Amino acid sequence: MPVVDGIWLGGDEAAGALGERHWWPLVTVDPVVSGAAGDELVAAGGYRLDRDPPDRDRVVRAAADALVAGLDSPALRALAGLYSDADPVEIDDVVREVAAELDLPEPGREAAVWTEAGIVSRAVIEGRQEPWTLTAWAHQRIGHDGGPGLLALVRLDDEYAMIEEVPGYYEVPDRQERLRALDDVVRAAATVIVAGETDLTRFVPVRWRA
């Protein structure tokens, strides 16, 4: 109970009553921000363990950002404080401990890829990124030899390439219309990714379905 005059406020009341106080950001946890920080931990940790690339800086930075966002655990604090000369095996062990303590998906490439796909998809849906950034990400991260789950995005990136014109040499008369239609398809794919769907085959352009 309070040791001075006052009342307890429930989570649904606190923001309205205290949100304008200058110290409020220090004591509140925004579920959207903390959720995004957790997603970045899953992606960074998975790529770290998969060595794709073996990026120490990204996973340590993700841990520090997660602490700022309101997530906390002993292993998360340890990961955020690792020095640049930390033993790679130690980093990997702490990454696994963080996932267990925070009840995150087991770190690995598959979880990392789908989580990162969700991160980029949300940015597209919210208008913070152009639709082509999602397909370009898929092309770079997965490529044509990747699994079938996200291959539709790679093929949509191929479609962007096929309607790219070279002024003075190669022009596409209906380019803007085709781009708008393609953007709409990519936004639709981004929406189902955020919703948790993993079967994107219906978004594969007709020309590539064979």
Side-chain angles (χ1 to χ4, degrees):
M1 296 297 293
V3 296
V4 296
D5 291 339
I7 60 172
W8 286 111
L9 294 172
D12 56 343
E13 305 170 288
L18 304 173
E20 297 301 318
R21 306 294 179 90
H22 69 278
W23 45 261
W24 177 247
L26 298 177
V27 298
T28 186
V29 176
D30 185 328
V32 174
V33 174
S34 62
D39 286 346
E40 176 60 13
L41 273 173
V42 172
Y47 291 137
R48 167 71 203 180
L49 296 183
D50 192 62
R51 301 297 189 271
D52 183 24
D55 190 345
R56 171 208 165 274
D57 291 341
R58 179 177 179 182
V59 73
V60 172
R61 184 171 60 249
D65 290 344
L67 286 172
V68 173
L71 301 179
D72 193 18
S73 82
L76 183 63
R77 283 176 247 145
L79 183 58
L82 286 177
Y83 292 102
S84 59
D85 60 351
D87 185 333
V89 175
E90 177 187 0
I91 297 175
D92 294 350
D93 289 343
V94 177
V95 166
R96 294 186 181 94
E97 290 172 12
V98 167
E101 290 177 357
L102 296 180
D103 197 26
L104 298 174
E106 183 177 351
R109 179 174 176 79
E110 183 174 1
V113 167
W114 279 103
T115 299
E116 194 169 52
I119 292 172
V120 183
S121 293
R122 277 188 290 274
V124 168
I125 293 169
E126 294 168 5
R128 294 182 282 113
Q129 296 284 353
E130 295 296 326
W132 62 264
T133 60
L134 177 58
T135 63
W137 165 83
H139 214 143
Q140 184 275 329
R141 180 64 76 182
I142 303 163
H144 292 94
D145 296 326
L150 291 168
L151 186 60
L153 297 180
V154 180
R155 289 307 191 185
L156 289 169
D157 198 55
D158 291 337
E159 290 292 301
Y160 277 114
M162 293 181 71
I163 59 177
E164 183 66 33
E165 61 184 12
V166 180
Y169 176 72
Y170 178 71
E171 296 182 357
V172 181
D174 58 347
R175 181 171 182 268
Q176 292 305 315
E177 291 77 6
R178 293 175 66 182
L179 276 176
R180 281 193 289 270
L182 187 53
D183 286 347
D184 288 343
V185 173
V186 175
R187 289 190 186 96
T191 300
V192 303
I193 289 173
V194 170
E197 291 191 35
T198 56
D199 183 1
L200 305 181
T201 53
R202 65 185 181 277
F203 296 105
V204 176
V206 174
R207 78 172 86 240
W208 303 109
R209 292 184 183 178

